[in-house]
Amino acid sequence: MADMAEEDLSYDDGNHRLREAHLRNGQAEVAALFASYLAVSGIGTALLAAWAMYGHTRSELIVGWLAAVGFANWVAYRKAAEAGPTAGSRSARKRPEWLPIVEAVALSSIWSSLPAYAFATTPPEAQVVVGGAMGSMIVSAIALSAYPRAALAWIGTHTAALCIACFFDRPSIDLKLAATIIGVGAITIFGVARLTRWSYAQLRDMATIRTQAEGVRLLLREYEHRGVGWLWQVDSENRVVYISSRMSPLLGRSTSQLIGHSLPASLGGNSALGRTLLARQPFSNLEMELKTRRGARWISLSGDPIIDMAGQFQGFRGVGADITEVRKTQERLTNLANMDVLSGLPNRGRVRQLLGEALSNAQATNVPCAIMFLDLDGFKPVNDTFGHPKGDAVLKSVAQRLVKEVGDLGHVGRMGGDEFAIVIKDAQGRKSDENLAARLIESVAKPYHIDKVEIRIGTSIGCAFGPIDGQTADDLIQKADMALYQAKAEGRGTCCYFNDDMRSVAEQRLRLEQDLANAISNGQLRLVYQPLVSAADQQVVGFEALIRWHHPTRGIVSPIEFIPLAEETGLIMQLGDWVIEEAC
């Protein structure tokens, strides 16, 4: 936290120094702008006052005074004029804040010295001219509006001289004239003081804006140089006004060759960009592909319309970025999310998407699609006997054989474990589907030679057609699973196609499974005992406990029906525990 506070203080201090530098530069520029006005005003009013005092004041005083005024104004003009052009450069030297005040006091004192001294000895008509000249010099303080304190010092010096001229020789001046001169002087002082304060405030605001603009400019330059992105601007006709030099290597043309040309055309004639610019609305993250010498590249553009003070559209400005690597990363992540790592085939989620797309196409074109579910027969002993590495090698080989047999007819995916699926987009030829299923069964059944070990497995297939057997992907998957279960029940190594009878069987099996789960707690199970008789002496040596299920509506359910079901659903352990407790 302390480090962050120090950084904030350093940042604020740097901004303050930069703002003060811009303020000083602005003051120097304004002073240079008014330098000629101040010099001409000073020399011109001095000549006017000298003309009025001529004949009433010694000539040598007037000549010496004019020479001093002319020299002082020339020196002040030269200094201000030389400081103005270099105000914004690094060679400009920082002037002390008190120096403009001293210069204003010195220059105004030189000018007002003789008029204040000789005012009382001149006749009233000459006093009017001299007083007017002194009032004009007070007004000329607007030339020092960039330095409010210097302007006030200028006004104060001339006002003091005017007061001395008016009141140190009271009997020789008309009171009405004195009141007029003082009144005009007061009004002038008030107006000029307000003007200087306003001018200084404007300079200070401009310095703040320049500081902010310079900060933004540095940030934008950093943004371009660090390769984060690039900047662009077009006029109302979508012609390039500015574009970062970093775009030159990407487009194969220099910046000068791009200026004045249509931005959409320069980016390959992208119609989406053209429509977006014509809409004259802000946009962001507009992605487009570029054909470059380095191959296809992807860029992203964002922009805002430029509206002038009159509300007229002037074009667009915005930022762009090369997002090729980002898109490649996204594509890799998408592939990983949709791919089975072991086999390289689409995974369960991707198979469902492919089936959904095929089903939508089937509903639109009346060309049926199909989903085949494959379950490997005899694969579990492979893992148990030879280990999972060889089992994984077998799964990879199975995936390769399936892809080879299916070819362009559909998409092969792995659902997980030893289950695979095939999505067929065009399944209107039932005979070709049956031939494909036969080829798949035959291909999978061929021996696998893994590390000099021969492994044999088989496969059973369940198939459902859409939208005949189901209107949704999940419905079709369920129907194909029912058909696969039927194929397993018929002896494996076969292919079964879904029909309504399988639905009834599946529903009965589901209800039987639910009833079996409640049979133990509801007391529906019974044990019957069959004696074991020794063949040698015909003696009973024990009893065999046989389980029977007395269903309330089905009657007695054969163990041939519910024992395999209990093994598949995991209820066999509960049955075993109940039999042991009951028998013992």
Side-chain angles (χ1 to χ4, degrees):
M1 292 295 291
D3 292 341
M4 292 177 62
E6 290 179 1
E7 290 179 1
D8 290 342
L9 288 174
S10 176
Y11 176 78
D12 291 341
D13 186 52
N15 269 354
H16 176 73
R17 289 198 299 268
L18 184 60
R19 187 164 53 248
E20 290 300 315
H22 282 307
L23 178 59
R24 290 194 302 271
N25 294 339
Q27 289 175 317
E29 290 172 0
V30 173
L33 181 65
F34 282 97
S36 58
Y37 163 77
L38 187 63
V40 170
S41 299
I43 296 174
T45 53
L47 290 173
L48 184 62
W51 184 23
M53 291 185 293
Y54 182 73
H56 309 288
T57 305
R58 288 184 297 169
S59 299
E60 59 272 19
L61 291 178
I62 295 177
V63 173
W65 174 69
L66 285 175
V69 169
F71 178 76
N73 279 277
W74 179 79
V75 172
Y77 168 76
R78 287 294 303 275
K79 290 185 62 177
E82 291 175 358
T86 61
S89 66
R90 294 186 178 182
S91 61
R93 291 183 298 176
K94 180 180 178 181
R95 301 180 69 197
E97 294 184 1
W98 52 264
L99 186 58
I101 302 174
V102 172
E103 291 175 349
V105 171
L107 194 60
S108 58
S109 297
I110 293 172
W111 193 98
S112 59
S113 57
L114 185 60
Y117 169 76
F119 189 82
T121 62
T122 57
E125 61 274 14
Q127 289 179 340
V128 172
V129 176
V130 174
M134 297 182 73
S136 298
M137 290 307 296
I138 295 176
V139 175
S140 65
I142 59 174
L144 301 173
S145 57
Y147 301 97
R149 295 179 181 176
L152 291 176
W154 176 276
I155 293 171
T157 303
H158 281 289
T159 302
L162 185 60
C163 291
I164 291 172
C166 291
F167 296 106
F168 270 61
D169 192 17
R170 190 181 300 268
S172 63
I173 187 171
D174 184 71
L175 292 179
K176 293 178 182 180
L177 176 61
T180 299
I181 293 174
I182 297 301
V184 171
I187 295 173
T188 303
I189 291 169
F190 178 78
V192 172
R194 291 292 299 271
L195 177 61
T196 55
R197 283 199 299 270
W198 179 84
S199 299
Y200 181 76
Q202 295 299 308
L203 287 173
R204 188 174 54 199
D205 293 341
M206 288 177 60
T208 301
I209 293 173
R210 286 181 178 178
T211 302
Q212 295 172 347
E214 187 167 337
V216 172
R217 187 163 54 251
L218 291 173
L219 287 174
L220 292 176
R221 188 180 304 167
E222 186 76 8
Y223 177 80
E224 289 189 288
H225 287 178
R226 285 190 176 275
V228 178
W230 42 276
L231 307 176
W232 59 272
Q233 182 175 336
V234 297
D235 60 15
S236 58
E237 300 297 327
N238 297 333
R239 294 185 296 255
V240 177
V241 175
Y242 172 83
I243 194 165
S244 299
S245 57
R246 292 188 59 253
M247 280 299 292
S248 296
L250 190 63
L251 298 178
R253 284 180 288 174
S254 65
T255 303
S256 59
Q257 291 175 319
L258 294 172
I259 299 297
H261 290 80
S262 168
L263 180 62
S266 300
L267 298 180
N270 189 278
S271 58
L273 175 59
R275 290 192 300 270
T276 302
L277 294 177
L278 287 176
R280 297 184 178 181
Q281 296 294 324
F283 64 94
S284 61
N285 301 325
L286 177 63
E287 297 182 2
M288 64 191 71
E289 185 179 12
L290 294 182
K291 302 297 183 181
T292 70
R293 297 175 181 175
R294 295 184 294 169
R297 307 289 294 180
W298 281 88
I299 63 173
S300 173
L301 292 180
S302 299
D304 289 290
I306 305 172
I307 308 297
D308 62 15
M309 298 295 291
Q312 298 296 317
F313 174 75
Q314 298 297 323
F316 270 89
R317 69 165 59 97
V319 298
D322 188 337
I323 59 170
T324 305
E325 298 304 322
V326 175
R327 283 187 66 93
K328 288 182 179 179
T329 301
Q330 290 176 345
E331 290 175 359
R332 286 195 294 267
L333 293 176
T334 301
N335 290 334
L336 288 174
N338 294 325
M339 183 184 69
D340 174 64
V341 178
L342 177 63
S343 63
L345 299 176
N347 59 15
R348 176 183 292 271
R350 181 56 180 161
V351 168
R352 186 179 179 281
Q353 292 177 1
L354 293 171
L355 180 58
E357 295 171 2
L359 185 58
S360 297
N361 182 72
Q363 292 169 338
T365 61
N366 292 324
V367 176
C369 64
I371 174 74
M372 288 184 174
F373 262 27
L374 293 81
D375 185 85
L376 301 183
D377 301 328
F379 179 74
K380 187 175 184 301
V382 173
N383 276 336
D384 296 340
T385 304
F386 301 107
H388 287 281
K390 285 187 173 60
D392 291 344
V394 171
L395 291 176
K396 291 180 182 178
S397 298
V398 169
Q400 294 170 0
R401 293 184 183 184
L402 294 179
V403 171
K404 181 179 179 181
E405 291 297 333
V406 173
D408 297 332
L409 298 177
H411 301 279
V412 182
R414 183 181 175 215
M415 305 300 285
D418 60 349
E419 293 183 352
F420 293 84
I422 300 172
V423 176
I424 302 174
K425 187 175 182 180
D426 184 354
Q428 59 183 343
R430 184 67 174 262
K431 187 63 177 178
S432 62
D433 298 332
E434 292 176 354
N435 291 336
L436 175 60
R439 294 200 309 271
L440 293 173
I441 293 173
E442 181 182 358
S443 177
V444 173
K446 293 179 181 179
Y448 298 86
H449 298 279
I450 310 295
D451 295 335
K452 299 181 181 180
V453 176
E454 183 178 284
I455 299 173
R456 293 179 179 270
I457 58 174
T459 185
S460 298
I461 302 176
C463 184
F465 295 89
I468 303 168
D469 297 329
Q471 298 292 321
T472 65
D474 291 334
D475 195 14
L476 277 180
I477 289 174
Q478 184 183 13
K479 302 298 176 53
D481 194 43
M482 292 181 186
L484 176 61
Y485 180 79
Q486 182 64 29
K488 290 280 190 181
E490 290 182 2
R492 306 185 178 186
T494 61
C495 177
C496 286
Y497 299 90
F498 175 80
N499 56 51
D500 290 335
D501 293 338
M502 293 180 186
R503 185 198 302 273
S504 301
V505 172
E507 292 175 351
Q508 292 177 6
R509 184 174 181 273
L510 179 60
R511 286 195 295 269
L512 190 64
E513 179 183 332
Q514 294 172 347
D515 292 344
L516 180 59
N518 298 323
I520 300 175
S521 58
N522 292 339
Q524 297 175 7
L525 300 177
R526 298 287 187 273
L527 288 181
V528 294
Y529 300 95
Q530 177 173 293
L532 299 177
V533 180
S534 174
D537 54 8
Q538 303 299 310
Q539 296 293 320
V540 176
V541 295
F543 290 87
E544 183 180 9
L546 305 177
I547 189 169
R548 296 292 182 265
W549 180 11
H550 294 266
H551 194 279
T553 58
R554 297 171 182 264
I556 296 178
V557 181
S558 172
I560 297 177
E561 294 185 46
F562 71 82
I563 292 299
L565 183 61
E567 291 177 344
E568 293 178 12
T569 59
L571 293 172
I572 193 66
M573 298 300 295
Q574 297 182 33
L575 285 180
D577 293 341
W578 180 86
V579 168
I580 292 174
E581 184 177 354
E582 183 70 15
C584 294

